[in-house]
């Protein structure tokens, strides 16, 4: 690393904010990495990966990515698009038989879909596939499938990635494909599509095409025994103290000490801040890092410039206040109008977060990457995340032209 890139004053300021969040019991622990032009500007760590054992968060701490698995899945699809093996306008049913003759809920009745669901709908979350949700009939159907996933997780016949995708395809949709936007299980379906097209397990494809070439040695769907001491626990705040939360949320096995049958393209990956920085750097370098090319510049341009149609954007804007100023595409948020946002940013910024507070953002115009890792229930993009981002962007723009 070139020490000339280090901004010690910025690093100290970020460290103070992170430590305050630990002292205030806002998060149990976390780390933060800022890269500029591929070089480290600041790195901070504070708190614990395991409170009971007093194991501190370190650079090599392994975190559950949950939805930060999604941008990885979008890149996997783009690799296959580049090779002419997938057309994003393809019907999903041409890969997965469970998606034939789909139906949508209309006034509590099921009617045939107006058109086939496309790969593009999955990449844009305009498929009509919800996450488990007791408040509506489509969500209840999905909930039943995930209950079965969890019931069979530790059995001799757990549901596989393909089993689950085909089962979800037979659920009634929340709306006709393309007519609205809704966050849901779309990325899990894309993981299954990769399996069909590549003829490999999803984990094998990612290892061969992404993780090994990029040197992401700690990114997997499970934790090998020799790495378990580096694995951060999942915590929730209960009456002012942190308690470990053992949950199979979205069918992701909690201990993750053996390879799961369900390799969730939307929620299943575990990784470190260093590993994920390799992935983020590859994207901000237009598909290449350290002489290893994953995608062509033209493919990356398509990947990071996704945008919803106006009628779909309305759903995102009304339903997700923290994403004011952003549109959505290829399983990521993309900043369109910084003035509408709750956070300092720039047009063209993209990235995503995870259920437990993992967060990444690339700023192509500034050649800047921001990464934050934590493991707190229902965190997503937190006020802490925005504070840290604001400090980084304001500080690093001081010397800019």
């Amino acid at each position: 690393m070139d020490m000339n890139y280090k901004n010690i004053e910025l690093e100290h300021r970020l460290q103070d904010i992170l430590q305050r969040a630990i002292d205030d019991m806002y998060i149990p622990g976390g780390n933060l990495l800022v890269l500029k032009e591929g070089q480290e500007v600041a790195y901070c760590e504070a708190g614990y990966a395991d409170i009971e054992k007093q194991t501190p968060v370190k650079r090599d701490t392994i975190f559950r990515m949950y939805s930060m698995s999604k941008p990885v899945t979008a890149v996997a699809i783009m690799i296959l698009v580049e090779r002419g093996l997938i057309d994003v306008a393809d019907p999903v049913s041409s890969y997965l038989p469970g998606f034939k003759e789909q139906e949508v809920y209309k006034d509590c009745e099921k009617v045939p879909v107006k058109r086939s669901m496309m790969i593009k709908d999955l990449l844009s979350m305009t498929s009509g596939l919800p996450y488990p949700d007791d408040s509506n009939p489509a969500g209840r159907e999905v909930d039943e499938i995930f209950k079965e996933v969890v019931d069979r997780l530790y059995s001799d016949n757990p549901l596989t990635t393909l089993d689950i995708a085909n089962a979800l395809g037979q659920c009634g949709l929340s709306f006709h494909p393309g007519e609205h936007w809704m966050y849901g299980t779309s990325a899990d379906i894309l993981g299954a599509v990769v399996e069909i097209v590549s003829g490999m397990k999803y984990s094998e494809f990612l290892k061969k095409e992404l993780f090994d070439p990029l040197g992401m040695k700690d990114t997997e769907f499970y934790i090998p025994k020799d790495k378990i001491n580096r694995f951060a626990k999942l915590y929730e705040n209960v009456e002012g103290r942190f308690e470990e939360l053992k949950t199979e949320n979205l069918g992701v096995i909690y201990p993750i000490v053996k390879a799961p049958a369900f390799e969730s393209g939307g929620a299943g990956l575990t990784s470190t801040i260093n590993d994920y920085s390799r992935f983020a750097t590859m994207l901000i370098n237009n598909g290449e890092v350290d002489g290893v090319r994953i995608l062509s510049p033209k493919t990356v341009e398509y990947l990071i410039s996704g945008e919803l149609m106006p009628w779909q954007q309305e759903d995102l804007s009304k339903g997700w206040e923290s994403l004011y100023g952003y549109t959505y595409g290829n399983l990521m948020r993309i900043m369109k109008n910084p003035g509408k946002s709750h956070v300092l940013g720039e047009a063209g910024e993209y990235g995503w977060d995870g259920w437990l507070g993992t967060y990444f953002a690339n700023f192509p115009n500034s050649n800047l990457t921001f990464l934050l890792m934590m493991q707190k229930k229902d965190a997503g993009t937190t006020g802490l995340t925005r504070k840290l981002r604001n400090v980084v962007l304001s500080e690093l723009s001081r010397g800019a032209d």
Side-chain angles (χ1 to χ4, degrees), residues 53 231 319:
K53 292 182 180 175
F231 191 29

Side-chain angles (χ1 to χ4, degrees), residues 90-393:
D90 282 339
V92 180
S93 58
S94 63
Y95 303 98
L96 299 166
F99 284 74
K100 290 181 174 155
E101 298 177 2
Q102 284 192 289
E103 294 182 310
V104 60
Y105 277 100
K106 184 80 174 167
D107 301 324
C108 294
E109 302 272 325
K110 282 187 187 175
V111 299
V113 291
K114 292 178 183 175
R115 68 156 171 83
S116 297
M117 185 190 298
M118 301 185 296
I119 298 294
K120 173 75 170 169
D121 292 313
L122 298 173
L123 287 164
S124 303
M125 292 281 178
T126 57
S127 64
L129 284 164
Y131 267 134
D133 185 350
D134 281 342
S135 70
N136 62 78
R140 284 193 287 273
E141 279 198 61
V142 172
D143 190 38
E144 286 303 310
I145 288 170
F146 275 94
K147 281 177 181 169
E148 186 181 356
V149 172
V150 171
D151 286 345
R152 289 170 58 175
L153 269 181
Y154 304 99
S155 72
D156 293 333
N157 63 336
L159 290 171
T160 66
T161 309
L162 284 173
D163 291 337
I164 293 163
N166 280 308
L168 288 169
Q170 291 164 53
C171 292
L173 300 175
S174 292
F175 50 78
H176 291 284
E179 289 197 349
H180 290 280
W181 182 91
M182 176 190 279
Y183 199 57
T185 57
S186 293
D188 292 321
I189 311 305
L190 289 169
V193 170
V194 171
E195 289 198 342
I196 292 295
V197 175
S198 69
M200 292 185 241
K201 282 185 69 178
Y202 189 40
S203 57
E204 292 168 1
F205 180 88
L206 291 179
K207 182 174 168 56
K208 180 183 176 216
E209 300 289 349
L210 259 179
F211 302 155
D212 282 355
L214 290 176
M216 296 170 67
K217 61 187 187 303
D218 289 325
T219 306
E220 302 181 65
F221 284 104
Y222 75 105
I223 308 294
K225 285 181 182 169
D226 63 338
K227 298 181 182 180
I228 199 73
N229 62 327
R230 295 199 274 128
F231 191 29
K233 285 187 174 177
L234 190 172
Y235 289 100
E236 64 176 331
N237 198 306
V238 180
E239 296 176 353
R241 68 183 186 280
F242 284 111
E243 292 186 0
E244 184 179 5
L245 176 65
K246 295 181 179 179
T247 174
E248 282 85 24
N249 186 38
L250 299 179
V252 177
I253 200 164
Y254 182 74
I256 326 188
V257 291
K258 64 171 187 170
F262 172 36
E263 296 175 338
S264 167
L269 286 173
T270 60
S271 190
T272 63
I273 202 163
N274 278 355
D275 267 19
Y276 211 95
S277 75
R278 298 287 293 173
F279 174 76
T281 299
M282 178 274 293
L283 288 178
I284 209 164
N285 284 353
N286 294 313
E288 178 266 342
V289 61
D290 293 342
V292 176
R293 180 157 293 285
I294 303 298
L295 293 172
S296 76
K298 187 57 69 177
T299 308
V300 174
E301 182 186 345
Y302 177 83
L303 177 74
I304 66 173
S305 58
E307 185 171 357
L308 295 173
M309 297 298 179
W311 60 91
Q312 300 161 345
Q313 181 68 37
E314 200 171 310
D315 295 309
L316 175 66
S317 299
K318 285 182 177 177
W320 208 317
E321 204 169 275
S322 66
L323 288 182
Y324 282 176
Y326 291 93
T327 188
Y328 188 91
N330 299 316
L331 305 180
M332 293 188 289
R333 63 175 184 273
I334 297 101
M335 179 74 88
K336 293 293 289 181
N337 192 325
K340 291 181 179 176
S341 177
H342 291 166
V343 68
L344 298 184
E346 62 184 36
E349 169 221 322
Y350 61 89
W352 199 237
D353 62 19
W355 177 53
L356 303 176
T358 55
Y359 182 97
F360 113 89
N362 270 350
F363 301 82
N365 295 337
S366 301
N367 203 345
L368 179 70
T369 294
F370 175 96
L371 283 159
L372 177 65
M373 300 286 170
M374 65 176 84
Q375 298 282 268
K376 178 186 175 182
K377 180 192 175 189
D378 294 336
T381 298
T382 66
L384 170 65
T385 311
R386 290 190 288 271
K387 286 175 185 174
L388 292 164
R389 261 189 58 142
N390 288 343
V391 168
V392 168
L393 287 177

